[in-house]
Amino acid sequence: MTTTMTRAAGRTTTAGVRAGLALIGAGTLALTTLELVNPGHALLSEALSRYVHGTAGLLLPAGLLAVAAASALLAARLTGHGAGRIAVAAWTAGILVAGLFPADPPGHHHRPSLSELVHGNAAFLAFAALPAAALLLRRRLVAARPRLRTALDALTAVSLLGTSALAVLLADVMDGGPSLGLLGAPTLLGLAERIVLAADFGWVAVALLATAAGERGRRA
């Protein structure tokens, strides 16, 4: 009886992780497709959220909502992780709200609509919460699956440094800029955002894998 229940719990755990990874994959595919079908947008300088007004714009909220669902699965698995779990929940809420409230079209930085303000603040919350979660949960996730140490550390470092750069670039744009451009682009805000999103999505995926290993260890 105990063995049967253990096996059932193991299948549930595996299914939950696979569902989370599938959602992360679907979200990443949606946002990548959005990039490909909107070649006219400035990848280096324009935030990805502006693509909601372009070709296949609904892929943006669809992708963000898929990632939010995967992040919610991760938060649900982080029982007993205190502040780290709260930070993951904050990231999840930020991504969810950012997906539900579209950003304004390009060129409206100084005349934001209510939807833009909600979107921007939710995105800021998400970008700040994820690296905090990564730092708070690092020890337990590495202990659960030591082989993932390098991936977790690399993704955490990229997320932390990228978010810091993104904050500087965003402040530059909002303060009468942009003035921190390179390679012919007026700003590298778009590039920084994409790097941060890639690192953050990757961290959620790796963290899901680590939680699965941790549960298997506890059952053993």
Side-chain angles (χ1 to χ4, degrees):
M1 181 69 174
T2 302
T3 301
T4 301
M5 292 177 64
T6 300
R7 288 177 178 173
R11 287 193 294 270
T12 301
T13 296
T14 301
V17 171
R18 287 179 177 174
L21 294 176
L23 286 165
I24 286 289
T28 302
L29 178 61
L31 298 185
T32 301
T33 301
L34 193 60
E35 292 273 18
L36 295 175
V37 299
N38 286 280
H41 283 257
L43 185 147
L44 292 179
S45 59
E46 199 62 64
L48 185 60
S49 56
R50 309 296 174 190
Y51 283 37
V52 72
H53 300 284
T55 303
L58 288 178
L59 285 174
L60 179 69
L64 293 180
L65 293 178
V67 173
S71 302
L73 286 174
L74 174 61
R77 301 174 64 80
L78 292 171
T79 54
H81 286 70
R85 188 184 193 189
I86 292 173
V88 172
W91 149 265
T92 303
I95 288 292
L96 175 63
V97 174
L100 294 175
F101 289 82
D104 287 345
H108 288 66
H109 296 298
H110 303 294
R111 304 182 304 278
S113 67
L114 177 59
S115 182
E116 166 75 15
L117 291 173
V118 173
H119 175 91
N121 282 291
F124 181 82
L125 170 65
F127 284 136
L130 195 285
L135 291 171
L136 290 167
L137 294 169
R138 179 191 176 279
R139 180 176 297 179
R140 291 193 179 186
L141 293 177
V142 169
R145 195 158 186 177
R147 290 183 179 180
L148 295 177
R149 177 195 298 270
T150 300
L152 287 167
D153 286 349
L155 291 168
T156 299
V158 173
S159 177
L160 186 60
L161 293 174
T163 299
S164 300
L166 183 61
V168 171
L169 291 166
L170 182 60
D172 173 59
V173 169
M174 299 302 293
D175 188 29
S179 61
L180 297 176
L182 192 65
L183 302 175
T187 177
L188 297 181
L189 176 67
L191 177 61
E193 181 196 50
R194 286 160 176 78
I195 291 173
V196 172
L197 285 174
D200 290 353
F201 290 5
W203 183 88
V204 172
V206 174
L208 279 166
L209 292 172
T211 61
E215 287 191 11
R216 285 197 298 270
R218 287 194 295 273
R219 287 197 302 272

